[in-house]
Amino acid sequence: MKQSTRTSWHFNLISAVLAFLLWGGWAFVMNSGESVNRGLVAGLTQGTASFLITLCMVHAVTYLFHRFEKPLVKVVLPACIVICFTGFCLVNVHTLMGTQRILVTILPALMVAFSFCMFTSWRLLRIHQQQGATQYE
């Protein structure tokens, strides 16, 4: 039985750490205008969420990648599903934490996350094709 195509733990961890730094920093800058404390809460919220979501995103995209048949669907649909769910979660977490500027805080991260999901799916497709798979699982 052929093993499923996966990304490496190194790729997953580096991606998650970079997401924490980039999007936590972005949220801090976008929400610290009135108060540094608000910026810190928003930054830590977004940074932590971005770290966890990035780790989960890779697994979710990989899982969904193997559930579809056609190459185009295997690349695009996992990204769409994951970003819709991610956006829903981020809006709710930021609402609970009292983030003032939710849309400006999460929209750039969601746009990049969509690109990241597409890249991950495309990368999985290439790995899958290089392994000589003639049929999609």
Side-chain angles (χ1 to χ4, degrees):
M1 186 168 144
K2 187 167 178 54
Q3 195 175 25
S4 293
T5 305
R6 302 270 177 231
T7 56
S8 71
W9 70 268
H10 190 253
F11 175 79
N12 298 353
L13 185 61
I14 288 175
S15 299
V17 169
L18 291 174
F20 176 87
L21 295 172
L22 177 64
W23 300 118
W26 171 261
F28 173 77
V29 170
M30 291 295 104
N31 290 280
S32 63
E34 294 177 25
S35 156
V36 173
N37 286 340
R38 284 185 188 234
L40 278 174
V41 170
L44 289 173
T45 300
Q46 183 64 37
T48 302
S50 293
F51 180 88
L52 295 172
I53 287 169
T54 300
L55 288 178
C56 294
M57 257 190 332
V58 172
H59 293 293
V61 166
T62 301
Y63 175 82
L64 292 169
F65 173 86
H66 290 289
R67 298 302 172 261
F68 300 111
E69 295 289 325
K70 299 182 190 275
L72 181 63
V73 175
K74 289 172 88 68
V75 172
V76 176
L77 202 51
C80 292
I81 292 168
V82 168
I83 292 307
C84 287
F85 181 74
T86 299
F88 174 78
C89 291
L90 283 173
V91 167
N92 285 309
V93 167
H94 280 289
T95 300
L96 286 171
M97 295 305 292
T99 301
Q100 296 289 61
R101 304 178 71 200
I102 294 174
L103 188 59
V104 75
T105 298
I106 69 170
L107 191 57
L110 287 175
M111 292 181 346
V112 171
F114 180 75
S115 299
F116 177 75
C117 287
M118 292 287 289
F119 170 75
T120 301
S121 294
W122 176 78
R123 189 169 189 252
L124 287 168
L125 183 64
R126 288 197 54 216
I127 292 168
H128 187 72
Q129 289 172 336
Q130 288 172 354
Q131 290 176 342
T134 56
Q135 243 182 339
Y136 292 98
E137 287 114 34

